[in-house]
Amino acid sequence: MKLMVTAGPTREPVDPVRFVSNRSSGKMGYAVAAAAQLRGHDVLLVSGPVAIKAPGGVELIMVETADQMQRAVMAGFNKVDALVMAAAVADWRPAVVHVQKQKKSSTSLTLPLEPVPDILAQLAGIKGSRLVVGFAAETENLLSEAQRKLSAKRLDMIVANDVTAPDAGFEVDTNRVVLVWPDGSSRELPCMPKTDVAEYIIDWLEENLPASAT
Ligand code: PMT
């Protein structure tokens, strides 16, 4: 199979020295890319800025902003059989990007934010027979929020993680996820290394891809 994986955060610039971002380390997405590559699949990894090394043998595209990630995903999408979107893409970005560094002052600063177009939602209408897997990073109502995103983005599976758990979500080496499907079924996995969560995701893709893509 040809698989595209996204990983890491995006950085949305405020001015030439500052940005709005999040705590994604890239570990979850890189584990998915590595697991697929080790099983002999062709992997295209689209990554935001992270401090970890990309797995050998994958095609790597580094991006910074959500816009750049969207362009890279759109450009690669028609060449792949499946997409796993583990990146923590910005939901909002500064509405104005200042050309010069904003001066420090003693008054408070208000930073107007505008919504960022959702990459997965844009793919819903053009996915065809491709399998599209999203992640849901939640702090409350894990299952219902995951089901809402699964249906709104017309995903084939969503991997829900409660990012308030100390051994799950951002930065840590382990995750605690629930796999959720469009027919309403779900499977809760115990806490395990992100590398093992990745194996479950690749198992599911291998079992569910059309025979022509395996
Ligand atoms: O990188 P790590 O430190 O290992 O942390 C892993 C993780 C917590 C980042 C990962 O497990 C995870 O949950 N990734 C998804 C984070 C996220 O953005 O979740 P969300 O619920 O806000 O978004 C739902 C889905 O929509 C995600 O697949 C996301 O990639 C996608 N999305 C979000 C915003 C946007 N503008 N476009 C998108 O496609």
Side-chain angles (χ1 to χ4, degrees), residues 40 43 76 91:
V43 180
D91 289 323

PDB file of all heavy atoms in Angstrom, residues 40 43 76 91:
ATOM      1  N   GLY A  40       6.939  -2.941   4.801  1.00  0.00           N
ATOM      2  CA  GLY A  40       7.164  -2.938   3.356  1.00  0.00           C
ATOM      3  C   GLY A  40       6.259  -2.014   2.570  1.00  0.00           C
ATOM      4  O   GLY A  40       6.237  -2.076   1.333  1.00  0.00           O
ATOM      5  N   VAL A  43       5.769   4.840   2.166  1.00  0.00           N
ATOM      6  CA  VAL A  43       5.237   5.831   3.112  1.00  0.00           C
ATOM      7  C   VAL A  43       5.680   7.240   2.748  1.00  0.00           C
ATOM      8  O   VAL A  43       6.863   7.498   2.539  1.00  0.00           O
ATOM      9  CB  VAL A  43       5.690   5.512   4.560  1.00  0.00           C
ATOM     10  CG1 VAL A  43       5.124   6.544   5.536  1.00  0.00           C
ATOM     11  CG2 VAL A  43       5.265   4.114   4.963  1.00  0.00           C
ATOM     12  N   GLY A  76      -0.292  15.052  -2.366  1.00  0.00           N
ATOM     13  CA  GLY A  76       0.033  13.624  -2.267  1.00  0.00           C
ATOM     14  C   GLY A  76      -1.170  12.710  -2.306  1.00  0.00           C
ATOM     15  O   GLY A  76      -1.044  11.513  -2.586  1.00  0.00           O
ATOM     16  N   ASP A  91      -6.294  24.822  14.735  1.00  0.00           N
ATOM     17  CA  ASP A  91      -7.708  25.117  14.482  1.00  0.00           C
ATOM     18  C   ASP A  91      -7.910  26.612  14.242  1.00  0.00           C
ATOM     19  O   ASP A  91      -8.881  27.017  13.622  1.00  0.00           O
ATOM     20  CB  ASP A  91      -8.562  24.662  15.666  1.00  0.00           C
ATOM     21  CG  ASP A  91      -8.642  23.143  15.742  1.00  0.00           C
ATOM     22  OD1 ASP A  91      -8.698  22.506  14.673  1.00  0.00           O
ATOM     23  OD2 ASP A  91      -8.622  22.595  16.865  1.00  0.00           O
TER      24      ASP A  91
END
